[in-house]
């Protein structure tokens, strides 16, 4: 449920007893105030729940400016190591809804590539430089990079180019096949198409 | 004075602007303040003018009366400020981890902004303005929502308030009061741009300026009076003290205060008048921000509608949404 009126930062949204703080709002004293300019959305839980409804405000350009823990991200692999793959986050959201103005650096560690048999996984057999990867942010990391993980079925390499430079299509959870050219298969950690 | 090594520099002694003689049958009148002491000049403020930046705003105090024809000397000063916000963007590689947003504010006068040409390199007064602006904005941005990021607020002053009124080579009393009005304008413009960028703020901060003028010098009423929104060209030589505040209206808080001169016993009145000026400016700021957000929402809806029907025709040109060209809220007295 959302209203059509635009609230401005600093506008009083009511006491915190009747509304919970959501995205784009903050608490001052015992009242809820808006932090950004935009329409207010109210999300109410199901009837038996006694939790008051959550007020949140969305930006017109997109919900997020920076990834948080649990945000799905899309990016391109820039470097690979035996222990980790570096990739630069280009867009937020599982379908890349919010394109970032500046790419953010992120790392996928070897143990976060897969859910099972994580000691046997090799980074070179999961990612190559230039692959487009869908991952989820698991930590803000250090000053250099966010930490991301592809340890779910629907996460992993989304688009890849073969060594010969041809387009590839996924054929299983761990292989891409070249289209045209030699038709060779290459090993990747493939994202399940949903 | 440091010479800028990358450019061909002007003569080191500075340049003097041309002084125009008045046409023989024209009488030049020094502009005087015709508004009431608690009346603000009309403002123009619009956001979203720079599409490539995260947020942007343009602030102008236009000349309040039309320029008399036949004269090249500007009879009224005006102030034009443009502000762009870039961020939140990742910090440089070697920067330390920061759990809060690292805000940096830069103010620069364009070389053509004032009568005496400014250099391309920031000088001390511009750095000072940047420091004051950063103090004002620091109190209003919620930094902990943007870890490991930086935000840069860049202001360019395209036309600055003149300290003096020049005609017929009149004597300059000066005093450097124009920079106070510039800072007030910078605070307001930066606030609009930050909200346009979608950065979490505690409130809308507005800049207000007031001055103590001593009317006794030029004849007229005796004694000192406090006026808000002084235009230094109108009060040449009369201003004794001035104060700029960055004010949050919904919290009734002042995040930044800069006072110059000797206000004597009227210090409290001076600050109160400056806060009043900031409250008047906030009304314009709120309207401008609201219009900006509505235009953005409208563009978002147009885009969604376009992508829905884009499959029908090839080479469909993107319809640009025209915002109404009616000037947004000129502050009514």
């Amino acid at each position: 449920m959302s209203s059509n009126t635009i609230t401005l930062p600093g506008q009083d949204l009511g006491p915190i007893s009747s509304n919970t703080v959501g995205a784009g709002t903050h608490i001052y004293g015992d009242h809820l105030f808006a932090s950004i300019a935009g329409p207010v959305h109210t999300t109410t839980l199901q009837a038996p729940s006694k939790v008051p409804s959550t007020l949140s405000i969305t930006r017109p350009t997109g919900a997020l400016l920076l990834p948080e823990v649990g945000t799905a991200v899309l990016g391109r692999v820039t470097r690979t190591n035996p222990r980790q793959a570096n990739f630069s986050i280009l867009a937020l959201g599982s379908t890349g809804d919010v394109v970032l103005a500046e790419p953010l650096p992120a790392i996928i560690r070897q143990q976060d590539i897969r859910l099972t048999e994580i000691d046997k996984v090799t980074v070179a057999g999961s990612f190559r430089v230039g692959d487009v990867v869908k991952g989820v942010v698991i930590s803000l990391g250090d000053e250099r990079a966010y930490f991301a993980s592809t340890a779910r079925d629907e996460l992993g390499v989304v688009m890849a180019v073969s060594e010969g430079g041809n387009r590839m299509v996924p054929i299983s959870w761990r292989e891409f096949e070249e289209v045209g050219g030699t038709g060779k298969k290459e090993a990747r950690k493939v994202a399940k198409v949903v | 004075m440091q010479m800028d090594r990358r450019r061909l520099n002007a003569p080191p002694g500075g340049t003097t602007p041309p002084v125009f003689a008045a046409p023989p049958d024209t009488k030049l009148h020094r502009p005087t303040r015709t508004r009431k002491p608690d009346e603000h000049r009309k403002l123009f403020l619009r956001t979203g003018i720079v599409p490539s930046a995260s947020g942007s705003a343009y602030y102008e105090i236009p000349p309040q009366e039309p320029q008399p024809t036949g004269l090249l000397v500007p009879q009224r000063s005006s102030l034009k400020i443009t502000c762009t916000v870039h961020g939140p963007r990742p910090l440089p590689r070697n920067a330390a981890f920061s759990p809060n947003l690292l805000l940096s504010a830069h103010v620069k006068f364009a070389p053509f902004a004032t009568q005496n040409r400014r250099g391309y390199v920031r000088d001390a007064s511009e750095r000072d303005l940047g420091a004051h602006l950063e103090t004002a904005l620091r109190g209003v941005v919620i930094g902990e929502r943007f870890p490991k990021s930086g935000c840069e607020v860049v202001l360019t002053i395209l036309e600055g308030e003149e300290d003096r009124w020049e005609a017929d080579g009149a004597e300059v009393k000066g005093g450097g009061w124009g920079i106070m009005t510039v800072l007030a304008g910078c605070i307001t413009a930066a606030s609009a741009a930050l909200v346009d960028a979608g950065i979490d703020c505690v409130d809308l901060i507005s800049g207000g300026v007031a001055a103590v003028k001593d009317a006794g010098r030029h004849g007229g009423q005796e004694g000192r009076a406090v006026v808000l929104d002084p235009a230094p060209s109108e009060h040449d030589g009369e201003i004794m003290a001035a104060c700029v505040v960055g004010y949050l209206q919904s919290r009734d808080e002042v995040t930044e205060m800069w006072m110059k001169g000797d206000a004597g016993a009227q210090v409290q009145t001076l600050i109160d008048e400056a806060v009043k000026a900031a409250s008047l400016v906030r009304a314009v700021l709120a309207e401008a921000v609201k219009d900006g957000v509505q235009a953005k929402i409208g563009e978002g809806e147009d885009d969604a509608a376009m992508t829905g029907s884009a499959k029908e025709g090839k080479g469909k040109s993107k319809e640009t949404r025209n915002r109404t060209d009616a000037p947004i809220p000129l502050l009514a007295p």
Side-chain angles (χ1 to χ4, degrees):
Chain A
M1 189 175 35
S2 62
S3 71
N4 275 330
T5 54
I6 312 265
T7 49
L8 298 175
Q11 197 162 323
D12 194 342
L13 298 174
I16 49 177
S17 49
S18 45
N19 291 301
T20 324
V21 61
T25 58
H26 66 277
I27 296 176
Y28 181 63
D30 54 357
H31 273 246
L32 211 56
F33 288 88
S35 302
I36 52 181
V40 180
H41 302 280
T42 320
T43 40
T44 324
L45 297 175
Q46 293 294 328
S49 167
K50 292 261 174 34
V51 176
S53 51
T54 309
L55 289 183
S56 61
I57 304 177
T58 50
R59 296 179 185 85
T61 43
L64 289 171
L65 292 176
L66 288 180
E68 291 163 8
V69 174
T71 313
V73 294
L74 281 174
R76 179 166 258 138
V77 177
T78 52
R79 273 177 85 164
T80 52
N81 266 341
R83 274 169 307 162
Q84 68 195 28
N86 292 40
F87 79 109
S88 82
I89 298 176
L90 300 170
L92 308 177
S94 57
T95 49
D97 299 319
V98 180
V99 178
L100 294 179
E102 310 226 1
L104 299 169
I107 289 175
I108 306 175
R109 297 173 302 168
Q110 182 199 8
Q111 60 263 45
D112 296 324
I113 295 178
R114 273 199 332 226
L115 267 179
T116 51
E117 290 185 338
I118 55 177
D119 43 336
K120 295 214 186 77
V121 69
T122 58
V123 176
S126 310
F127 302 117
R128 289 291 161 90
V129 174
D131 289 351
V132 177
V133 165
K134 184 191 295 189
V136 69
V137 171
I138 52 173
S139 163
L140 292 183
D142 54 16
E143 66 269 6
R144 306 264 172 97
Y146 286 83
F147 283 176
S149 157
T150 54
R152 285 217 284 263
D153 284 345
E154 65 271 15
L155 303 176
V157 177
V158 173
M159 268 179 12
V161 171
S162 74
E163 281 175 20
N166 294 317
R167 208 164 58 89
M168 292 205 289
V169 286
I171 53 173
S172 76
W173 69 272
R174 55 176 173 174
E175 280 186 325
F176 266 87
E177 186 175 18
E178 209 176 349
V179 173
T182 54
K184 262 177 33 177
K185 299 192 173 97
E186 286 187 22
R188 299 282 199 280
K189 197 279 173 184
V190 182
K192 182 172 178 178
V193 179
V194 274
Chain B
M1 221 260 301
Q2 269 182 9
M3 296 303 285
D4 185 1
R5 287 196 198 110
R6 293 166 295 183
R7 296 179 178 90
L8 294 171
N9 287 298
T15 57
T16 45
V19 176
F20 299 99
D25 48 351
T26 317
K27 189 92 168 50
L28 287 174
H29 298 280
R30 155 166 244 106
T32 49
R33 187 187 177 111
T34 49
R35 355 170 222 138
K36 298 199 270 300
D38 58 353
E39 196 181 318
H40 204 289
R41 281 174 292 177
K42 291 192 201 294
L43 307 172
F44 177 86
L45 182 59
R46 179 174 272 191
T47 60
I49 51 159
V50 178
S52 60
S54 312
S56 57
Y58 175 72
Y59 172 100
E60 181 176 329
I61 303 183
Q64 306 291 297
E65 281 164 30
Q67 172 85 351
T69 53
L71 290 176
L72 286 170
V73 179
Q75 293 298 297
R76 294 283 184 274
S77 60
S78 70
L79 179 63
K80 297 182 172 80
I81 301 174
T82 172
C83 175
T84 53
V85 167
H86 302 274
R89 42 148 83 137
L91 292 173
R93 242 169 189 252
N94 41 12
F97 176 86
S98 154
N100 298 322
L101 185 70
L102 280 184
L103 191 68
S104 68
H106 300 274
V107 180
K108 181 81 190 73
F109 279 83
F112 47 81
T114 47
Q115 281 273 356
N116 279 329
R117 197 174 166 78
R118 301 245 180 182
Y120 291 99
V121 181
R122 282 193 307 158
D123 64 13
S125 67
E126 287 158 349
R127 277 198 288 270
D128 193 28
L129 269 181
H132 283 289
L133 180 62
E134 205 179 301
T135 313
L137 297 178
R138 206 174 281 289
V140 87
V141 165
I142 304 178
E144 58 256 17
R145 295 194 178 174
F146 303 99
K148 297 200 329 175
S149 310
C151 175
E152 203 174 335
V153 181
V154 178
L155 283 106
T156 308
I157 297 156
L158 301 169
E159 192 172 334
E161 290 259 77
E162 289 304 318
D163 285 347
R164 56 230 192 159
W165 177 72
E166 290 198 72
D168 270 346
E171 232 177 75
V172 172
K173 271 118 194 190
W177 303 107
I179 206 161
M180 316 286 290
T181 323
V182 167
L183 177 61
C186 287
I187 293 174
T188 311
S191 170
L194 278 175
V195 176
D196 189 44
I199 292 182
D200 287 53
C201 292
V202 151
D203 192 4
L204 289 174
I205 181 173
S206 52
V209 57
V212 172
K213 70 175 180 101
D214 196 348
R217 297 221 168 170
H218 274 239
Q221 297 158 348
E222 299 288 91
R224 301 165 135 218
V226 179
V227 296
L228 63 82
D229 189 30
S233 55
E234 291 172 356
H235 299 285
D236 190 33
E238 291 175 352
I239 298 182
M240 302 275 92
C243 174
V244 186
V245 296
Y247 179 62
L248 305 176
Q249 193 176 56
S250 71
R251 290 196 178 190
D252 195 25
E253 261 179 35
V254 168
T255 58
E256 156 69 6
M257 187 174 84
W258 184 24
M259 197 184 293
K260 242 163 82 156
D262 175 23
Q266 291 170 305
V267 170
Q268 194 55 52
T269 322
L270 181 60
I271 299 174
D272 289 340
E273 285 296 300
V275 166
K276 212 157 80 169
S279 306
L280 292 174
V281 170
R282 192 189 197 273
V284 180
L285 178 59
E287 279 272 351
V289 164
K290 219 176 238 196
D291 285 344
V293 170
Q294 244 149 14
K296 265 195 186 162
I297 292 177
E299 272 168 22
E301 282 166 3
D302 282 352
D303 279 354
M306 285 304 297
T307 49
S309 58
K311 295 175 193 130
E312 288 166 8
K314 274 193 204 173
K316 204 164 187 175
S317 63
K318 195 170 171 119
E319 185 193 302
T320 46
R321 184 191 158 82
N322 281 323
R323 293 173 55 183
T324 57
D325 280 323
I328 303 173
L330 292 199
L331 181 62

